[in-house]
Amino acid sequence: MTCGSFPDRVTAGKRQAMRLGLSPAEMVPLLVLILVVQVFVAESAPAEDEITYLPGLAKQSSFRQYSGYLNTSENKYLHYWFVESQGRPEHDPVVLWLNGGPGCSSLDGLLNEHGPFLIQPDGKTLLYNPYSWNKIANMIYLESPAGVGFSYNENQQYHTNDSEVSFNNYLALKEFFRLFPEYKKNEFFITGESYGGFYVPTLAERVMSDEEINFKGMAVGNGLSSFEYNDNSLVYFAYYHGLLETSLWNDLQRFCCSKGICNFHHNKNESCMLRVSDVMNIVYNSGLNMYNLYADCIGRVPGKVHFDENQKQLVVHNLEHVFPNSEVSLLWRKKLQSLIQSHMNVRLDPPCTNTTASSDYLNNPDVRKALHIPPFVQKWEMCSAEVHTNYQVLYNDMKDQYLKLLAARKYQILVYNGDVDMACNFMGDEWFVNSLHQEVQVNRRTWLYKDENGDQVGGFVKEFANLAFLTVKGAGHMVPSDKPNAAFTFFSRFLLKKPY
């Protein structure tokens, strides 16, 4: 959208008034009205993307929301769903949310974690979320990269990597602020979870150099910050939580450790890696819920492949980026690749999760129409096997990105973890944060939130100058799903720069 300069709009208004036969004195009120209308149109959100009616709600929302596409580069179109703040949208922060995978949809965050309404088991009904993050922030849910959810590439080629994804996310963000210029002045934050541990800081590194964006900080939940720390800490996590028998632990110490230092990540000792494979099998293939150790595993045991009779497609339960350099993981990725080449219709589901309700709702023709999804766009799935298996990881960790952001001494950074998640466990992220060697301002202590019974311990927090590491007691990988009140509490304190 291009608009003329202020003098151009005045001249055009005068011509219009003259055509109506008005005198100069009569022109003034009309000119003012014309200018007000033109400025409003130029500075407001795209009307064609506004959601005017959303199926499943007993009562339509009082806040505005939008769904559409942000054209980035090379014919890529990333789907966004934007919900304005229920507070003061013109003043409240703008927050971008990115789910992980890579290959999983950010609409999971909206419909199952901290969006204004949550999908119900019937796959048709939405109920308002009392702990929605849009109560205090304008939330952008971006489906990235292309091929995920409703996002697409015109050439249907879905090979991508960390650098390309961060660049396209940045272009999508620029396009968003072009379409919604009224939000340029608001504080802006980037948030995400899981592989968002790579998405968020790589995007933040680009955004911090853009003076047109009022960037203030980032928050990463149960994020993958370092492959090495995540892999090494998982073995300790499994042992400390009673998953490994003593003889296996003793063998791990014998074959993987030297002088008190253990390497479970990429050890050249074959005996070590065989024992690590045993740990991997217990954690991911024995029926435990990798996202929440103390929650039931919904559906089939992860790490298996089966044919879904209802959906008429092959379902692959993926192990994600755990032990990426191990022989077991490489064989698994090759297996996934061959499945995708052999079957036209493959779905990648997160293990121990039920995605039926979200899939049924978002693939409802009336919902697709309400969200302005073109008919040619693929069926929505929680996670894309094609995107995941064709994704190239370029980094081993995010240390450089964090240090660059911290060196600026003006961005707020929060790393938070549910403490019973095994996919990206709290210990690995705590090791990563400590490796940044920032000056401690508040030693590790409990943090509190309020419920109907009064103050409750939310978990533990350790604070540095512009960085905090926070755990959430009893929460798994998707913290806002497991502990919505606690999640809303620390999110509020993060945005408002209040002590945890």
Side-chain angles (χ1 to χ4, degrees):
M1 182 188 303
T2 57
C3 302
S5 65
F6 184 84
D8 290 338
R9 294 198 294 269
V10 171
T11 300
K14 284 182 178 179
R15 290 171 181 162
Q16 187 173 349
M18 291 174 65
R19 284 197 295 270
L20 294 174
L22 299 179
S23 67
E26 294 171 321
M27 286 183 187
V28 175
L30 180 61
L31 286 175
V32 172
L33 177 61
I34 290 173
L35 285 173
V36 168
V37 171
Q38 288 181 336
V39 170
F40 176 77
V41 171
E43 296 299 325
S44 62
E48 64 274 15
D49 286 358
E50 185 167 6
I51 300 173
T52 55
Y53 176 83
L54 188 62
L57 287 174
K59 180 181 179 181
Q60 295 300 303
S61 65
S62 59
F63 53 87
R64 291 188 299 177
Q65 52 180 321
Y66 300 82
S67 171
Y69 285 90
L70 303 173
N71 184 206
T72 58
S73 62
E74 301 174 2
N75 301 315
K76 292 184 176 67
Y77 294 83
L78 301 187
H79 173 247
Y80 79 95
W81 190 335
F82 174 55
V83 290
E84 288 189 341
S85 171
Q86 297 182 45
R88 301 184 304 162
E90 67 278 10
H91 298 293
D92 290 342
V94 175
V95 177
L96 174 69
W97 174 262
L98 297 166
N99 274 87
C104 295
S105 168
S106 295
L107 298 193
D108 184 31
L110 191 156
L111 293 176
N112 293 297
E113 297 189 63
H114 45 62
F117 20 71
L118 303 176
I119 187 69
Q120 299 305 295
D122 62 5
K124 299 177 181 178
T125 307
L126 299 176
L127 293 184
Y128 282 98
N129 179 9
Y131 302 107
S132 173
W133 287 9
N134 91 312
K135 286 185 175 291
I136 58 171
N138 301 285
M139 299 293 301
I140 312 168
Y141 295 88
L142 182 68
E143 296 196 283
S144 174
V148 172
F150 289 131
S151 296
Y152 67 94
N153 188 336
E154 286 183 336
N155 62 22
Q156 296 187 345
Q157 296 297 314
Y158 296 115
H159 290 78
T160 190
N161 58 57
D162 291 326
S163 180
E164 184 177 296
V165 167
S166 70
F167 182 60
N168 282 312
N169 286 344
Y170 171 69
L171 292 179
L173 188 60
K174 295 290 286 184
E175 178 70 358
F176 173 84
F177 283 118
R178 185 187 72 81
L179 294 175
F180 295 84
E182 63 269 34
Y183 288 105
K184 280 187 176 181
K185 67 181 186 304
N186 297 47
E187 292 187 341
F188 174 69
F189 295 85
I190 306 173
T191 61
E193 74 183 16
S194 194
Y195 200 77
F198 275 35
Y199 290 160
V200 171
T202 53
L203 175 59
E205 185 179 19
R206 295 183 185 275
V207 171
M208 69 181 291
S209 301
D210 190 333
E211 295 182 354
E212 293 184 355
I213 299 176
N214 190 18
F215 180 54
K216 294 297 181 180
M218 68 178 195
V220 175
N222 286 80
L224 179 63
S225 302
S226 162
F227 284 115
E228 182 175 356
Y229 286 140
N230 192 59
D231 293 352
N232 282 333
S233 60
L234 178 60
V235 179
Y236 286 98
F237 182 99
Y239 178 64
Y240 295 156
H241 286 80
L243 307 186
L244 311 183
E245 62 179 341
T246 303
S247 61
L248 175 54
W249 176 250
N250 290 338
D251 283 348
L252 287 163
Q253 297 293 300
R254 176 185 175 189
F255 296 119
C256 304
C257 307
S258 177
K259 299 179 180 178
I261 299 176
C262 299
N263 177 13
F264 307 118
H265 169 63
H266 185 44
N267 199 310
K268 295 180 180 180
N269 186 312
E270 291 185 7
S271 296
C272 170
M273 295 317 294
L274 283 173
R275 302 313 189 276
V276 169
S277 296
D278 289 339
V279 176
M280 183 178 180
N281 191 53
I282 292 169
V283 171
Y284 297 108
N285 259 1
S286 65
L288 296 173
N289 188 329
M290 64 182 284
Y291 296 116
N292 186 328
L293 174 59
Y294 298 137
D296 291 336
C297 182
I298 303 171
R300 296 173 180 263
V301 173
K304 305 297 183 184
V305 179
H306 74 280
F307 187 80
D308 189 320
E309 292 291 347
N310 295 322
Q311 299 291 334
K312 301 299 180 186
Q313 61 186 169
L314 198 69
V315 178
V316 180
H317 295 293
N318 174 55
L319 301 185
E320 298 207 15
H321 283 294
V322 181
F323 301 99
N325 297 319
S326 72
E327 183 179 354
V328 175
S329 182
L330 292 174
L331 288 173
W332 180 254
R333 289 180 69 81
K334 289 180 180 178
K335 183 179 180 181
L336 273 176
Q337 189 68 53
S338 65
L339 284 170
I340 289 172
Q341 292 171 350
S342 302
H343 299 269
M344 292 294 292
N345 208 5
V346 179
R347 186 174 87 247
L348 177 68
D349 272 352
C352 293
T353 59
N354 187 348
T355 64
T356 302
S358 297
S359 297
D360 287 351
Y361 180 77
L362 291 169
N363 288 312
N364 181 310
D366 292 334
V367 174
R368 286 176 63 108
K369 183 178 180 181
L371 299 179
H372 315 117
I373 308 301
F376 63 82
V377 171
Q378 71 273 4
K379 180 180 178 182
W380 187 90
E381 295 172 356
M382 183 70 76
C383 299
S384 166
E386 183 175 10
V387 171
H388 183 89
T389 55
N390 289 309
Y391 193 97
Q392 183 182 6
V393 177
L394 301 181
Y395 300 98
N396 292 317
D397 61 49
M398 289 288 101
K399 191 169 185 177
D400 289 345
Q401 286 77 12
Y402 272 78
L403 290 176
K404 184 174 181 180
L405 288 159
L406 289 167
R409 299 183 181 278
K410 62 179 181 179
Y411 304 116
Q412 295 298 118
I413 300 176
L414 171 64
V415 177
Y416 66 91
N417 285 70
D419 63 10
V420 292
D421 172 34
M422 295 191 292
C424 298
N425 71 88
F426 78 93
M427 196 182 305
D429 277 334
E430 185 170 16
W431 289 357
F432 172 76
V433 168
N434 289 337
S435 76
L436 301 175
H437 300 296
Q438 300 298 297
E439 183 179 354
V440 177
Q441 290 195 338
V442 180
N443 288 322
R444 195 173 190 269
R445 59 173 176 80
T446 58
W447 65 275
L448 306 177
Y449 71 98
K450 291 184 181 296
D451 67 5
E452 63 275 9
N453 297 314
D455 286 341
Q456 301 292 335
V457 174
F460 293 84
V461 64
K462 186 177 182 179
E463 298 181 57
F464 307 85
N466 292 292
L467 170 68
F469 174 74
L470 180 146
T471 64
V472 184
K473 181 173 66 71
H477 194 67
M478 285 72 82
V479 172
S481 296
D482 294 336
K483 298 288 184 177
N485 187 357
F488 181 78
T489 299
F490 72 68
F491 177 69
S492 302
R493 293 172 185 172
F494 166 70
L495 290 188
L496 299 174
K497 302 176 183 62
K498 291 185 177 180
Y500 294 101

